[in-house]
């Protein structure tokens, strides 16, 4: 037993404040006796002293406060869990900052990369594969006319100037412009959440950039495709 902590305590509730497992039922001293949070406190008032039975962490032990709409969230109580949560939060904050820094470098690199007169080796296969796959990012850019990123990377201000680039392009340069359409669509779909949301399309995108000389930042490496864990199948002749 101990001294009453008060009814406004974050985790402790008197038993008569709690709902039972069945709708409309309460929790009694007898039914709560085996709960790990079962405890009693001394209540002193003008008419004497009495015991009040409580649950010391009602949300953690699956009870519901009958006077609130939902159980209070159970907070990590051990030091290791608290420190792990803090570390995860620091990682998110640090990676978000790194992402915004890398984004400026990446887009400047793309703008220079797309000035080339002929496409890099491997770009035809990459471009064909992306057009056949028809990812959501690419379809969205094409269907909704989202060309601002394309214009930014090509150094033009509007569609007329972009059309002029195509009109005056050689066959090889036109292939670079086609590649620019796909890369711009993927770049426009990136955000600070890209590094933590595994995505096959973004994996292929960052792998292509790396294969063509772009120095990935550590946070961008998190977007690369994960190595396959499947066991190799039987080899054919």
């Amino acid at each position: 037993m101990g001294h009453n902590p008060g009814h406004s305590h974050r985790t402790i509730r008197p038993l008569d404040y709690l709902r039972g497992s069945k709708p409309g039922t309460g929790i009694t001293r007898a039914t709560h006796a085996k709960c790990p949070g079962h405890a009693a406190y001394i209540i002193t008032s003008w008419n004497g002293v009495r015991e009040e039975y409580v649950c010391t962490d009602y949300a953690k032990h699956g009870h519901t406060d009958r006077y609130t709409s939902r159980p209070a969230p159970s907070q990590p109580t051990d030091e290791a869990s608290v420190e792990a949560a803090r570390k995860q939060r620091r990682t998110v904050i640090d990676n978000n900052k790194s992402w915004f820094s890398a984004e400026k470098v990446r887009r400047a690199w793309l703008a220079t990369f797309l000035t080339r007169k002929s496409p890099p080796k491997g770009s035809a296969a990459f471009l064909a594969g992306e057009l056949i796959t028809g990812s959501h990012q690419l379809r969205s850019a094409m269907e909704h006319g989202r060309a601002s990123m394309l214009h930014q990377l090509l150094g033009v201000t509007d569609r007329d100037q972009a059309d002029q680039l195509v009109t005056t392009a050689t066959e090889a340069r036109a292939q670079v412009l086609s590649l620019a359409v796909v890369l711009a669509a993927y770049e426009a779909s990136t955000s600070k959440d890209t590094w933590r949301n595994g995505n096959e399309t973004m994996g292929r995108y960052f792998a292509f950039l790396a294969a063509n000389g772009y120095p990935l930042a550590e946070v961008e490496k998190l977007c690369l495709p994960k190595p396959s864990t499947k066991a190799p199948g039987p080899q054919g002749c």
Side-chain angles (χ1 to χ4, degrees):
M1 293 186 182
H3 293 292
N4 177 35
H7 293 179
S8 61
H9 195 278
R10 182 174 179 82
T11 62
I12 299 173
R13 288 291 187 279
L15 298 186
D16 58 0
Y17 273 47
L18 302 177
R19 292 191 180 98
S21 57
K22 296 181 180 180
T25 64
I27 295 178
T28 67
R29 173 183 172 182
T31 60
H32 192 259
K34 294 183 179 180
C35 176
H38 190 64
Y41 291 89
I42 298 297
I43 303 294
T44 303
S45 64
W46 65 271
N47 62 348
V49 177
R50 64 182 176 85
E51 297 173 348
E52 182 170 76
Y53 287 86
V54 304
C55 185
T56 57
D57 198 338
Y58 75 98
K60 178 180 179 181
H61 299 308
H63 308 318
T64 304
D65 189 325
R66 65 169 69 236
Y67 299 108
T68 60
S69 59
R70 68 180 70 180
S74 179
Q75 300 296 320
T77 55
D78 62 284
E79 187 175 341
S81 296
V82 172
E83 181 54 33
R86 289 174 180 166
K87 184 177 180 180
Q88 183 179 26
R89 179 59 180 163
R90 286 195 298 268
T91 297
V92 170
I93 292 173
D94 291 344
N95 280 358
N96 284 347
K97 290 180 180 178
S98 298
W99 182 267
F100 288 125
S101 296
E103 182 180 87
K104 296 177 182 179
V105 175
R106 186 174 68 250
R107 292 181 180 179
W109 182 90
L110 280 167
T112 300
F113 177 70
L114 293 173
T115 60
R116 58 189 302 137
K117 296 180 179 179
S118 59
K121 184 178 181 180
S123 61
F126 171 78
L127 184 57
E130 297 310 307
L131 293 175
I132 290 173
T133 301
S135 68
H136 167 75
Q137 294 88 338
L138 183 56
R139 295 196 314 272
S140 180
M142 300 293 286
E143 292 170 1
H144 300 287
R146 295 173 180 168
S148 58
M149 179 59 66
L150 177 63
H151 293 166
Q152 176 184 330
L153 297 181
L154 292 179
V156 299
T157 58
D158 53 38
R159 178 166 178 180
D160 287 342
Q161 291 185 4
D163 288 344
Q164 186 62 28
L165 291 180
V166 176
T167 300
T168 59
T170 63
E171 186 73 14
R173 175 60 180 161
Q175 293 177 45
V176 175
L177 296 177
S178 297
L179 179 62
V181 173
V182 174
L183 297 183
Y186 291 166
E187 181 59 32
S189 71
T190 62
S191 73
K192 64 181 179 64
D193 295 320
T194 303
W195 66 267
R196 50 180 170 172
N197 295 332
N199 182 290
E200 290 184 7
T201 301
M202 290 295 99
R204 295 193 303 271
Y205 172 58
F206 280 94
F208 178 81
L209 298 187
N212 283 281
Y214 174 66
L216 293 173
E218 290 302 314
V219 70
E220 292 172 318
K221 291 178 182 178
L222 298 175
C223 304
L224 292 174
K226 301 298 184 291
S228 176
T229 57
K230 294 182 180 179
Q235 299 297 313
C237 297

